[in-house]
Amino acid sequence: MIKRSYLEVLKTRLGEEPRRFIQVLYGPRQVGKTTIVTQLIKELPFASLFVTADNVPAANDYWIKESWDNARRQMQLSGAPEFLLVIDEIQKINNWSEVVKKEWDKDSFTGLNLKVIILGSSRLLIQQGLTESLAGRFETIYVTHWTYAEMQQAFGWTVDQYIAYGGYPGAAPLVADEQRWRNYVNDSLIETSISKDILMLSKVEKPALLRRLFEIGSAYSAQIVSLNKIQGELQENGNLTTLSNYLKLLEGAGLLTGLEKYSGNMIRKRSSKPKFQVFNNALMTVKVGHPLELIKQLPQMWGRWVESAVGLHLLNASIREHFNLYYWNESNNEVDFVMEKNGELIAVEVKSGKDSANKGIALFSEAYKPKHVFTVGTDGIPLEDFLLSSPVRLFEI
């Protein structure tokens, strides 16, 4: 079984360091958060208690205290000098952060060496709870979708397989039966994420509108589309503020985002047309609905899948490595992706067998003086090499 890099981080923080902070592990569904913690428990030299709020009523915040007390009891009975409590899907409990703060502070006051990991699937709700009550008491680890390198290592995938089927490890064994794979991704991954991580936990007045926005946005991944334009394709009317809020909820669940146009002016960035980008190409493949064999035979369409794969590689890395990701365009001239970190810019253009000439790169370079300009694909960094590498290292060149 593959061991993701997050495991070593947790082993250091919980196995080698003294009790300092609550460890918060969060990210999209089906990326292996629970597996990472299960692997960790087997490698730590002390005992643990794993509990999940999956089937606990949202109003039952006392459940957290009860679980915490149970961990204290087990630690006392064992006579162990340290113990680990893991709470999964904690964002489903109302007022969870206040209860966690109270119990953590109680152990800190009494000097009890009870270490804690919190797991969650909703990025927005986890971050909201942390900033409301737990300032100074936590460290976060955002677990992203699987990279091409990880899918290659675990399943022997080719780059074309990763572009087509994305990075869901649980779905990988099903790709030989494309319809079965599609059903699994749609029913067990997409629908569960929308139902449990968005609709059950956030105020959504028009669920059908949110679902339709996700379908259209996924189908248009790696394309710049005005929200005004897609209003005509939506089955229900919704104003731009509502659509923008729903897009933020989809981003928080690790499904779909809208990249902003790069500009030196923050207001102009926020008012720009979004460039839709899925976090995992499986979402795009399922929502477009065309057979993969047909997609691969159409160079222009396959080029969109390639650009989306580069985009999701950059997007997930931007969360792990803390850099900003944009696009840029002016009239009909475009730069596919713009990375920004500490005031430095890197322009990334994706080419998949088409003419590599691009006036947009020259115009962007003249206007914003990026540190580097890279082409991925034709006449540039080989696509597979780029997907196997860490994008943040481009800033070190």
Side-chain angles (χ1 to χ4, degrees):
M1 180 181 294
I2 186 173
K3 294 183 178 181
R4 304 191 74 186
S5 59
Y6 310 101
L7 175 61
E8 290 303 317
V9 175
L10 285 172
K11 282 174 63 178
T12 299
R13 293 181 182 181
L14 292 165
E16 301 175 15
E17 297 177 358
R19 177 185 182 273
R20 286 197 183 102
F21 305 109
I22 300 168
Q23 298 299 316
V24 182
L25 204 66
Y26 66 111
R29 286 184 174 271
Q30 298 298 313
V31 296
K33 298 186 296 295
T34 303
T35 300
I36 292 168
V37 172
T38 301
Q39 292 172 334
L40 174 71
I41 288 172
K42 292 178 179 178
E43 297 190 19
L44 288 177
F46 48 87
S48 62
L49 173 65
F50 185 103
V51 295
T52 179
D54 230 346
N55 297 313
V56 178
N60 186 13
D61 59 10
Y62 186 80
W63 172 83
I64 297 175
K65 182 183 186 309
E66 186 178 18
S67 299
W68 214 292
D69 283 341
N70 191 16
R72 293 181 180 124
R73 183 186 64 85
Q74 290 189 30
M75 182 178 177
Q76 182 184 48
L77 290 174
S78 68
E82 55 187 334
F83 195 88
L84 174 65
L85 171 63
V86 182
I87 307 177
D88 195 9
E89 297 295 343
I90 197 168
Q91 80 276 355
K92 296 184 176 181
I93 305 296
N94 295 338
N95 199 37
W96 67 268
S97 57
E98 287 291 340
V99 182
V100 168
K101 174 187 176 183
K102 181 179 178 180
E103 300 305 315
W104 177 262
D105 287 352
K106 180 179 178 180
D107 290 343
S108 297
F109 181 77
T110 60
L112 189 67
N113 196 15
L114 178 58
K115 300 178 179 181
V116 177
I117 297 178
I118 289 173
L119 301 178
S121 299
S122 175
R123 181 181 174 190
L124 293 178
L125 288 173
I126 288 290
Q127 289 177 328
Q128 179 181 351
L130 294 176
T131 54
E132 284 177 351
S133 305
L134 292 168
R137 296 171 176 84
F138 68 90
E139 289 182 294
T140 60
I141 299 175
Y142 184 80
V143 183
T144 61
H145 291 274
W146 281 40
T147 65
Y148 168 51
E150 289 171 322
M151 295 299 286
Q152 184 189 66
Q153 179 185 347
F155 305 105
W157 275 20
T158 65
V159 67
D160 281 1
Q161 283 179 302
Y162 183 73
I163 292 169
Y165 295 110
Y168 282 120
L174 306 179
V175 296
D177 185 339
E178 186 174 321
Q179 189 56 54
R180 185 182 178 190
W181 173 84
R182 287 177 181 273
N183 291 342
Y184 176 80
V185 172
N186 192 63
D187 299 339
S188 295
L189 302 180
I190 296 174
E191 182 55 35
T192 301
S193 295
I194 291 177
S195 298
K196 290 191 173 184
D197 296 334
I198 299 178
L199 300 182
M200 284 181 62
L201 302 175
S202 304
K203 185 178 180 180
V204 177
E205 295 182 353
K206 298 181 178 181
L209 180 64
L210 181 141
R211 293 177 189 277
R212 186 59 180 153
L213 175 62
F214 170 68
E215 292 173 357
I216 293 174
S218 298
Y220 281 102
S221 185
Q223 296 186 66
I224 304 166
V225 184
S226 167
L227 290 179
N228 277 314
K229 179 179 179 181
I230 70 168
Q231 278 183 311
E233 296 188 45
L234 297 171
Q235 295 173 340
E236 295 188 19
N237 292 325
N239 61 40
L240 295 182
T241 300
T242 299
L243 292 176
S244 296
N245 289 338
Y246 287 176
L247 191 55
K248 283 295 182 184
L249 293 176
L250 291 166
E251 178 183 343
L255 296 173
L256 173 75
T257 192
L259 300 180
E260 297 173 342
K261 175 182 174 179
Y262 180 78
S263 169
N265 186 313
M266 184 59 66
I267 295 176
R268 289 184 62 189
K269 288 179 186 177
R270 292 175 178 172
S271 62
S272 63
K273 299 176 183 178
K275 179 173 183 172
F276 287 122
Q277 178 62 58
V278 292
F279 284 80
N280 191 313
N281 257 19
L283 308 172
M284 182 183 186
T285 299
V286 166
K287 289 308 175 185
V288 168
H290 299 313
L292 281 170
E293 286 306 313
L294 173 62
I295 294 171
K296 290 180 179 179
Q297 292 172 12
L298 301 173
Q300 186 173 0
M301 182 174 285
W302 181 245
R304 283 180 46 212
W305 260 255
V306 171
E307 183 174 337
S308 181
V310 172
L312 69 88
H313 185 57
L314 291 168
L315 177 60
N316 287 298
S318 72
I319 301 172
R320 289 192 307 270
E321 307 291 349
H322 308 291
F323 62 85
N324 298 315
L325 184 64
Y326 306 97
Y327 75 93
W328 181 84
N329 74 336
E330 201 67 56
S331 300
N332 293 323
N333 302 300
E334 180 182 347
V335 175
D336 291 327
F337 301 102
V338 177
M339 304 164 62
E340 186 272 326
K341 187 177 178 69
N342 298 328
E344 294 182 335
L345 300 178
I346 291 178
V348 178
E349 182 68 10
V350 184
K351 297 295 179 184
S352 54
K354 54 186 177 181
D355 184 1
S356 60
N358 180 12
K359 188 178 179 180
I361 287 288
L363 293 174
F364 180 82
S365 297
E366 182 179 353
Y368 296 104
K369 306 297 188 293
K371 180 180 181 180
H372 297 297
V373 173
F374 293 103
T375 298
V376 177
T378 306
D379 299 330
I381 303 171
L383 176 62
E384 185 167 10
D385 289 353
F386 185 81
L387 293 179
L388 287 172
S389 65
S390 174
V392 74
R393 297 191 65 182
L394 296 176
F395 288 101
E396 301 171 4
I397 298 175

